[in-house]
Amino acid sequence: MKRPLLLLFPVLLLFENCSTEPIENANGNDAVPNGSASTDLYFPSSTSGEWETLSTVELGWNPDAELALRDFLDEKDTKAFIILKDGKLAVEWYFDDHTPNTSWYWASAGKTLTAFTVGLAQEEGILAISDKTSNYLGQGWTSLASEKEDLITIWHQMTMTTGMNSLQFDCVTPNCLEYVADAGTRWRYHNGPYTLLQDVVANASGGEWTDYFNQKLRDRIGMDGFWFSTNDLNNVYFSTARSMARFGLLNLSKGIWDGEVILADETYLDEMKNTSQDFNKAYGYLWWLNGKSTYLAPGLPIEFDGELIPNAPTDTYAGLGKNDQKLYIVPSLGLVIVRMGEDAGENLLGPSSFDNALWEKLNAFIN
């Protein structure tokens, strides 16, 4: 029997350590939605702090609901909140001592950065996501028998389908990477194999992960930020809220930044933001997807009925991180929305009821 997600979210704590988005068509397959972002997108300067603004009055957004949204964010220990409309800053709020120059952690919302960078590496030809992971990490990168280890590909790492035991959530050493099922036969949210994607890219490039990421992605769109391990196992991205918004805008514009093609592989971009496997319809390549009929959540092998974020537009896709770090992209409305801050109340790894509550306030404001 499927149970409401809110009743089961506390159980997740037991497991915690530390563009167009498709809509299902009548056949149950992914189809591109009718709505799409405006092609007339604004891009901020990559060499200065200049960023054009857009008045919410001009947009016709509800000024009464604006105050309620801001109070809600403040009550939920938000540090930074940004709304881009067609690339321009419609809302930019900071709370407490946070400023536009303050760096904050993305948590698992940063997985989206890795997914994009893997696409860049594949486009460059230094790897293919269908390749065995052992081609880049060597035999014995897990504790699995060689024939089981060889089933795991880069694609399995990006789709959370490696089949390994996820209870030692962040651990990346072979003794922690234990066999439970064959790769590709189940979905479990698991940081260890994800984190090792960065080693895959580094070894494929013959250099350091951070150098490759900075050169191929970060610096090209004017982002700031750095990767840092918060527990000597994972690798977490820290940046300003505006840098998260820049990356969201790059995805809204389908891999193109102010006329410069950053990632040209349309097939990969489409796959990244569509259902990637048969077990969790709401998961692409490290992106969370709204508008699906069912979903799985981190930590629980239970399928939930309904959309991931019922109050959000169906074409929303998102980077969702621990303690409610949020990056929402809504192509049909031309929106990029960023929330950075402390835990909003549930101490979860990614999706939480805060998503739906926030979108209730957003709908009152922008509709």
Side-chain angles (χ1 to χ4, degrees):
M1 177 179 178
K2 296 172 184 176
R3 290 163 283 181
L5 178 57
L6 295 183
L7 296 178
L8 287 168
F9 262 145
V11 180
L12 299 177
L13 301 181
L14 297 175
F15 299 97
E16 183 172 345
N17 205 347
C18 81
S19 260
T20 46
E21 183 37 43
I23 300 173
E24 288 186 353
N25 61 25
N27 296 322
N29 299 319
D30 290 335
V32 176
N34 293 327
S36 61
S38 168
T39 57
D40 186 22
L41 293 175
Y42 165 82
F43 293 87
S45 169
S46 296
T47 57
S48 74
E50 179 184 353
W51 201 316
E52 287 190 17
T53 61
L54 193 59
S55 167
T56 58
V57 174
E58 180 183 350
L59 290 168
W61 293 356
N62 184 349
D64 295 328
E66 179 174 353
L67 180 59
L69 172 62
R70 183 161 189 150
D71 287 346
F72 173 76
L73 291 166
D74 194 13
E75 291 167 3
K76 295 297 184 179
D77 291 326
T78 301
K79 297 295 185 182
F81 187 76
I82 287 174
I83 302 178
L84 303 185
K85 170 61 177 171
D86 295 332
K88 295 182 180 180
L89 279 167
V91 168
E92 184 176 24
W93 297 333
Y94 297 96
F95 302 85
D96 301 326
D97 57 351
H98 211 90
T99 75
N101 297 318
T102 306
S103 289
W104 194 258
Y105 63 94
W106 290 38
S108 285
K111 286 180 167 68
T112 60
L113 294 168
T114 301
F116 199 98
T117 306
V118 169
L120 292 170
Q122 178 171 261
E123 184 169 80
E124 188 179 352
I126 62 174
L127 59 77
I129 61 173
S130 59
D131 290 343
K132 294 188 300 184
T133 301
S134 57
N135 290 354
Y136 304 92
L137 300 183
Q139 290 294 142
W141 69 277
T142 71
S143 66
L144 279 60
S146 59
E147 65 271 16
K148 297 300 184 181
E149 182 177 276
D150 283 345
L151 295 176
I152 302 173
T153 67
I154 297 170
W155 181 89
H156 292 114
Q157 291 175 272
M158 292 199 298
T159 59
M160 299 290 175
T161 58
T162 63
M164 291 187 287
N165 189 338
S166 60
L167 292 181
Q168 297 192 69
F169 186 66
D170 283 329
C171 188
V172 295
T173 55
N175 61 297
C176 298
L177 300 173
E178 301 170 332
Y179 179 87
V180 173
D182 284 359
T185 62
R186 69 174 200 160
W187 188 93
R188 294 292 187 277
Y189 196 73
H190 191 180
N191 253 12
Y194 153 73
T195 300
L196 289 169
L197 278 169
Q198 297 182 358
D199 288 347
V200 167
V201 173
N203 292 340
S205 69
E208 297 294 327
W209 158 255
T210 53
D211 293 339
Y212 190 86
F213 169 81
N214 292 348
Q215 178 187 358
K216 300 296 182 178
L217 177 54
R218 186 194 73 171
D219 298 346
R220 296 173 72 186
I221 65 171
M223 289 178 65
D224 57 49
F226 56 92
W227 293 93
F228 177 73
S229 177
T230 56
N231 61 3
D232 294 325
L233 295 171
N234 59 14
N235 208 15
V236 176
Y237 200 67
F238 289 73
S239 82
T240 59
R242 282 191 172 195
S243 284
M244 184 183 274
R246 282 177 181 268
F247 180 64
L249 180 56
L250 174 65
N251 283 274
L252 180 65
S253 65
K254 302 178 183 178
I256 300 171
W257 183 264
D258 199 13
E260 179 186 359
V261 177
I262 306 298
L263 178 57
D265 188 342
E266 294 181 4
T267 298
Y268 183 87
L269 286 166
D270 183 62
E271 291 174 348
M272 184 170 67
K273 298 160 190 176
N274 278 272
T275 301
S276 59
Q277 28 61 52
D278 295 332
F279 311 102
N280 188 356
K281 293 182 178 180
Y283 207 71
Y285 292 166
L286 305 173
W287 286 89
W288 290 94
L289 317 174
N290 203 37
K292 306 302 179 183
S293 59
T294 60
Y295 64 93
L296 295 175
L300 287 174
I302 300 170
E303 185 180 74
F304 297 97
D305 288 323
E307 298 184 7
L308 185 70
I309 312 173
N311 286 332
T314 56
D315 66 324
T316 303
Y317 59 95
L320 303 176
K322 181 180 178 181
N323 295 335
D324 293 305
Q325 318 312 317
K326 310 293 186 183
L327 171 60
Y328 305 112
I329 301 169
V330 189
S332 60
L333 300 179
L335 295 178
V336 173
I337 301 173
V338 169
R339 188 270 183 186
M340 290 177 160
E342 302 286 1
D343 167 43
E346 292 180 349
N347 192 25
L348 298 175
L349 295 175
S352 72
S353 64
F354 176 73
D355 293 291
N356 214 39
L358 175 56
W359 270 100
E360 181 180 3
K361 301 293 186 183
L362 283 167
N363 286 334
F365 178 37
I366 67 179
N367 290 333

